[in-house]
């Protein structure tokens, strides 16, 4: 899907109710600045919570933001009291399929700036994670390990096939969530990514969703959300936080 289609799709999902108000969640469409570029985004904010338990940036895959991905993101605000931010990072530069360094840098910068948006909104900077699916998984993990202020990363359907990573500059917790029957990202490429990160002394956890293909079903997205929430609860020590 081209950039215009991606953006119209996101707006249409909101208008149709796919990302509409859930009980206890305030949903907003907005724009924020990333290195002089105006980026569209959706924010999910837990209602009646003075300080969010944590902050989460979610980075979509290359095809679209779809209902499943928006629902995945929204659930963290609904169930875990997190402030969640979903930027359309391709506003920082349209995907040309070649993805040379300047474009990848613009996308990584957008991820960093999205994490900074959460911090500016009052999220504890020690409790900010960036997660992404497929192409977004590469941007999430590589941007956080390369710099910025997020303190954890999650890659869903991640692997070397997505894009070769840069040598990590930071050693912060990373969760890799495999789709066990992924027909786009090979198991060997996920193994290679994890081995590369561990050889660089990055603490990596390896989880898998049984029977999931790259284009995951609704139950598989629910499992991805559970694995991500458990990881964040652990690394950010979110148990028994006050409301």
């Amino acid at each position: 899907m081209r950039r215009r289609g991606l953006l119209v799709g996101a707006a249409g999902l909101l208008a149709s109710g796919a990302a509409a108000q859930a009980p206890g969640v305030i949903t907003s469409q907005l724009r924020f600045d990333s290195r002089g570029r105006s980026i569209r985004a959706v924010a999910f904010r837990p209602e009646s919570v003075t300080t969010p338990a944590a902050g989460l940036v979610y980075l979509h895959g290359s095809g679209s933001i779809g209902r499943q991905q928006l629902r995945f993101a929204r659930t963290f605000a609904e169930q875990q009291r997190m402030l969640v931010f979903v930027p359309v990072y391709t506003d920082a530069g349209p995907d040309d399929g070649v993805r040379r360094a300047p474009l990848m840098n613009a996308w990584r910068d957008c991820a960093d700036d999205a994490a900074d948006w959460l911090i500016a909104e009052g999220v504890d900077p020690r409790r900010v994670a960036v997660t992404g699916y497929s192409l977004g998984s590469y941007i999430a993990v590589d941007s956080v390990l390369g710099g910025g202020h997020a303190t954890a990363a999650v890659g869903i359907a991640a692997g070397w096939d997505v894009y070769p990573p840069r040598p990590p500059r930071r050693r912060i917790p990373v969760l890799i969530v495999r789709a066990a029957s992924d027909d786009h990202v090979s198991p060997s490429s996920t193994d290679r990514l994890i081995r590369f990160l561990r050889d660089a002394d990055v603490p990596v956890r390896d989880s898998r969703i049984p029977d999931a293909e790259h284009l995951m079903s609704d139950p598989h997205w629910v499992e991805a959300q559970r694995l991500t929430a458990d990881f964040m609860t652990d690394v950010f020590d979110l148990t028994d936080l006050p409301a």
Side-chain angles (χ1 to χ4, degrees), residues 9-143:
L13 286 169
L14 279 170
S16 68
Q21 303 286 34
V25 176
I26 300 170
T27 302
S28 305
Q29 275 188 286
L30 53 88
R31 290 180 178 270
F32 76 108
D33 180 81
S34 178
R35 322 298 160 107
R37 300 287 186 115
S38 179
I39 310 297
R40 289 189 182 185
V42 178
F44 299 110
R45 188 183 302 271
E47 199 171 23
S48 303
V49 171
T50 304
T51 302
L56 179 67
V57 174
Y58 175 74
L59 304 175
H60 57 78
S62 62
S64 70
I65 301 177
R67 291 176 173 81
Q68 292 171 317
Q69 296 183 61
L70 284 170
R71 189 181 301 116
F72 167 87
R74 186 185 65 201
T75 302
F76 289 92
E78 185 178 354
Q79 297 182 4
Q80 278 79 39
R81 298 184 291 118
M82 297 180 188
L83 178 57
V84 184
F85 198 55
V86 185
V88 181
Y89 59 83
T90 46
D91 269 358
D95 188 357
D96 59 5
V98 180
R99 299 171 185 166
R100 295 184 176 89
L103 179 60
M104 302 308 295
N105 289 337
W107 289 350
R108 287 187 289 246
D109 288 343
C110 184
D112 291 342
D113 294 338
D116 288 345
W117 184 92
L118 289 170
I119 294 169
E121 289 292 309
V123 174
D124 186 336
R126 298 169 298 175
R127 293 186 172 124
V128 175
V130 181
T131 185
Y133 163 72
S134 193
L135 176 58
S137 74
Y138 165 80
I139 302 167
V141 174
D142 201 64
S143 64

